[in-house]
Amino acid sequence: MKKLFIYSVVVLALVFPVSAQNTTQNTATPQITPVFQGIDQGTRERVREEIKARRDELKSNIKGTRDEFKVNIQERRAELKDLIQGKRETLKEQLQKVKDERKKAAVERIDARLDELNERIANHFSNVLDKLENVLERIASRADKAEEKGLDVAAVRTAIDSALKAIEASRTAVQTQAGKTYTITVSSENNLRVDVGEARQALHSDLVKVREMVKAAHDAVRQAAVILAQIPRVNEAETLPVNDGQNNSNQ
């Protein structure tokens, strides 16, 4: 029991928090030129609508991908129940060659907890990806505001697209992982430690791979945030009113 607890702690240590990162903002202060300056009213409205449509499309795509992911996870876990049940029946048969009842019970507990641990960490990774998408939405919203004020956000748009692809790849990896189970194949009573260790190592190796995918998504979102923060006067652009290029004068 104690060894299993220690192993669980080690595996859970694979999970990393999504932490805030400090970024250094460019101190250059070029003039902000409103994107609507010198443009007629009809064109201004069209540009605003295009920016809004892009923002709405991003939100819709993120929600759609997230909803589809959750449905797929549920389907995989429903299919997994039969596999796990069959695996445990096979394990009981294999454990007939083990005379020590305490060892039998311990192996069965470990078998069940490997599946529980895999499900728990897959859920955690899923939650991390949800949070990353929320952060990315906020980055995109700030980029929209900066674009309306005439700032060049092309690099941010590219970084956002890269982050979305990294998150999508991570969701695929998490979805695949959620549908896995790990089989303890009993060779002999004297070799139980090795038999159990092989199943543990298989789970550990797979979780490391998924963790790296999620970390890549985390880094991609962070990169988008860094690029946004490095745009000169981006924070000022968020607070300035949109100047349509028409000077107001006192009558």
Side-chain angles (χ1 to χ4, degrees), residues 152-168:
D152 182 1
V153 297
V156 180
R157 300 289 186 203
T158 299
I160 289 172
D161 289 341
S162 296
L164 285 171
K165 291 177 182 177
I167 291 173
E168 182 179 359

Side-chain angles (χ1 to χ4, degrees), residues 27-251:
T27 56
T29 56
Q31 180 67 33
I32 294 179
T33 304
V35 71
F36 302 126
Q37 185 168 335
I39 299 178
D40 62 84
Q41 180 66 27
T43 302
R44 289 199 299 270
E45 290 302 322
R46 179 178 58 79
V47 172
R48 285 194 179 111
E49 286 300 319
E50 288 176 355
I51 293 175
K52 181 180 183 300
R54 182 168 50 207
R55 183 186 308 133
D56 292 343
E57 181 181 11
L58 175 63
K59 290 181 179 180
S60 177
N61 288 343
I62 287 176
K63 183 180 184 303
T65 300
R66 188 179 298 182
D67 291 344
E68 181 181 1
F69 170 79
K70 290 179 179 179
V71 170
N72 290 339
I73 287 287
Q74 291 174 352
E75 291 177 350
R76 283 183 175 271
R77 285 180 174 162
E79 296 169 357
L80 192 61
K81 287 182 179 180
D82 291 337
L83 291 176
I84 291 176
Q85 182 61 34
K87 177 192 71 168
R88 289 178 181 169
E89 291 174 359
T90 300
L91 180 61
K92 280 184 178 292
E93 293 175 2
Q94 292 181 353
L95 286 172
Q96 294 303 314
K97 66 185 73 172
V98 177
K99 296 180 180 180
D100 191 323
E101 294 298 328
R102 290 177 301 177
K103 290 182 179 180
K104 286 183 180 180
V107 171
E108 288 180 323
R109 284 196 302 271
I110 292 171
D111 177 69
R113 289 181 183 179
L114 290 179
D115 290 320
E116 292 169 1
L117 186 60
N118 185 50
E119 180 176 352
R120 185 162 67 251
I121 295 181
N123 287 340
H124 176 81
F125 284 148
S126 176
N127 291 334
V128 169
L129 293 174
D130 287 349
K131 292 177 182 178
L132 289 177
E133 285 175 335
N134 293 339
V135 171
L136 202 58
E137 280 193 58
R138 293 196 292 272
I139 293 171
S141 178
R142 290 190 64 196
D144 290 340
K145 294 175 183 177
E147 184 177 5
E148 288 185 2
K149 304 305 190 303
L151 297 179
D152 182 1
V153 297
V156 180
R157 300 289 186 203
T158 299
I160 289 172
D161 289 341
S162 296
L164 285 171
K165 291 177 182 177
I167 291 173
E168 182 179 359
S170 297
R171 285 203 182 279
T172 299
V174 172
Q175 181 176 305
T176 299
Q177 184 62 33
K180 289 185 177 182
T181 186
Y182 295 84
T183 302
I184 299 174
T185 303
V186 179
S187 58
S188 68
E189 183 167 358
N190 293 334
N191 207 44
L192 278 179
R193 184 183 298 274
V194 174
D195 297 335
V196 170
E198 288 177 352
R200 283 174 167 172
Q201 184 57 45
L203 171 61
H204 175 85
S205 297
D206 285 347
L207 289 177
V208 168
K209 293 175 184 177
V210 179
R211 176 188 180 277
E212 290 304 312
M213 296 286 290
V214 177
K215 183 178 184 299
H218 171 274
D219 292 344
V221 172
R222 178 179 178 274
Q223 180 65 13
V226 169
I227 292 174
L228 176 67
Q230 289 176 341
I231 295 176
R233 302 184 69 180
V234 66
N235 292 328
E236 181 180 343
E238 282 198 273
T239 59
L240 288 176
V242 176
N243 183 347
D244 291 339
Q246 298 175 344
N247 294 326
N248 296 323
S249 58
N250 295 328
Q251 301 296 329

